[in-house]
Amino acid sequence: MVKYNYADWGCPILIDYTENFKPVIDFYDGEDFIETVNGDYFVHEDFNRTSARYKLTAKKAGCKAAPQSWSEMLTNMSYSNLIWTRDNYESCMSDTRADQVGPPQPGQRYEILSSSNGNALRWSQNGYYVYTLTVLDPDTSFCQLRTKFAVRVHGVLSETTHVSTIPVTTMLVCFLVAIVYCSSHKHLKKREGKQK
């Protein structure tokens, strides 16, 4: 459970769990809009919650090579803020990477987002999620571009909700059957009394 800090993270983006979500990154110079980032970026949940899933597999994304992933980058680095940056990013679309690491594994999730690919996130649990977004495309800027944002996912029914509704539903059905039985029984008794 994450205790949400409004002072540090601001208002979260409200998302229904059935929606696919992809953040849009806009560059500003003060109050002046410069452009929307079209390059590749990734998001990492700061509290290591794993209930978000990427929509695309590497194959559906069109990767020629096995794509880099957060877990792969973790094994190669020690400091989390610098694990995956524009300096060590390799696109899975390049032939060079394909020659080095081979093709993507079946079902391997594609963890890269951009305005041009169809990838997005979807959650399986309600809650607050705090993300660090890092721009990976080296052509976007000479700087390491990073920001934080938060989402609040809602609408997922928990298993305890499903389990607790079964006894309530069963009791309600039994109660309704009893009412129907009693009223039909009284109605039949009145009918019998009138016929005598």
Side-chain angles (χ1 to χ4, degrees), residues 119-136:
N119 209 6
L121 291 168
R122 186 176 264 190
W123 290 266
S124 61
Q125 292 179 355
N126 293 329
Y128 289 94
Y129 297 84
V130 179
Y131 286 93
T132 298
L133 181 149
T134 303
V135 175
L136 297 173

Side-chain angles (χ1 to χ4, degrees), residues 32-161:
D32 298 327
F33 173 76
I34 304 299
E35 67 178 344
T36 297
V37 174
N38 294 317
D40 293 344
Y41 60 93
F42 91 103
V43 296
H44 169 69
E45 209 286 322
D46 290 2
F47 297 98
N48 297 316
R49 298 179 68 195
T50 58
S51 61
R53 184 176 173 110
Y54 289 91
K55 178 181 169 185
L56 295 182
T57 62
K59 184 176 181 179
K60 285 184 182 176
C63 289
K64 297 176 183 177
Q68 290 175 310
S69 67
W70 179 249
S71 58
E72 173 193 342
M73 301 311 283
L74 275 174
T75 60
N76 297 330
M77 302 294 270
S78 60
Y79 183 63
S80 66
N81 281 342
L82 300 176
I83 287 177
W84 204 357
T85 67
R86 61 184 296 285
D87 296 327
N88 61 1
Y89 172 60
E90 298 173 5
S91 173
C92 68
M93 309 299 175
S94 77
D95 292 323
T96 306
R97 181 159 172 83
D99 293 341
Q100 294 171 350
V101 298
Q105 298 297 315
Q108 181 179 5
R109 290 280 153 198
Y110 184 58
E111 298 178 12
I112 305 298
L113 299 166
S114 78
S115 63
S116 60
N117 71 26
N119 209 6
L121 291 168
R122 186 176 264 190
W123 290 266
S124 61
Q125 292 179 355
N126 293 329
Y128 289 94
Y129 297 84
V130 179
Y131 286 93
T132 298
L133 181 149
T134 303
V135 175
L136 297 173
D137 186 358
D139 297 328
T140 300
S141 172
F142 292 110
C143 303
Q144 297 291 350
L145 300 176
R146 189 174 287 113
T147 191
K148 280 192 182 291
F149 69 95
V151 297
R152 180 176 169 253
V153 177
H154 66 93
V156 179
L157 295 177
S158 67
E159 287 189 29
T160 55
T161 303

Side-chain angles (χ1 to χ4, degrees), residues 20-41:
N20 289 323
F21 174 75
K22 179 184 344 187
V24 175
I25 310 167
D26 291 334
F27 277 149
Y28 283 85
D29 183 8
E31 296 293 318
D32 298 327
F33 173 76
I34 304 299
E35 67 178 344
T36 297
V37 174
N38 294 317
D40 293 344
Y41 60 93

Side-chain angles (χ1 to χ4, degrees), residues 158-170:
S158 67
E159 287 189 29
T160 55
T161 303
H162 294 299
V163 171
S164 66
T165 58
I166 293 171
V168 171
T169 305
T170 304

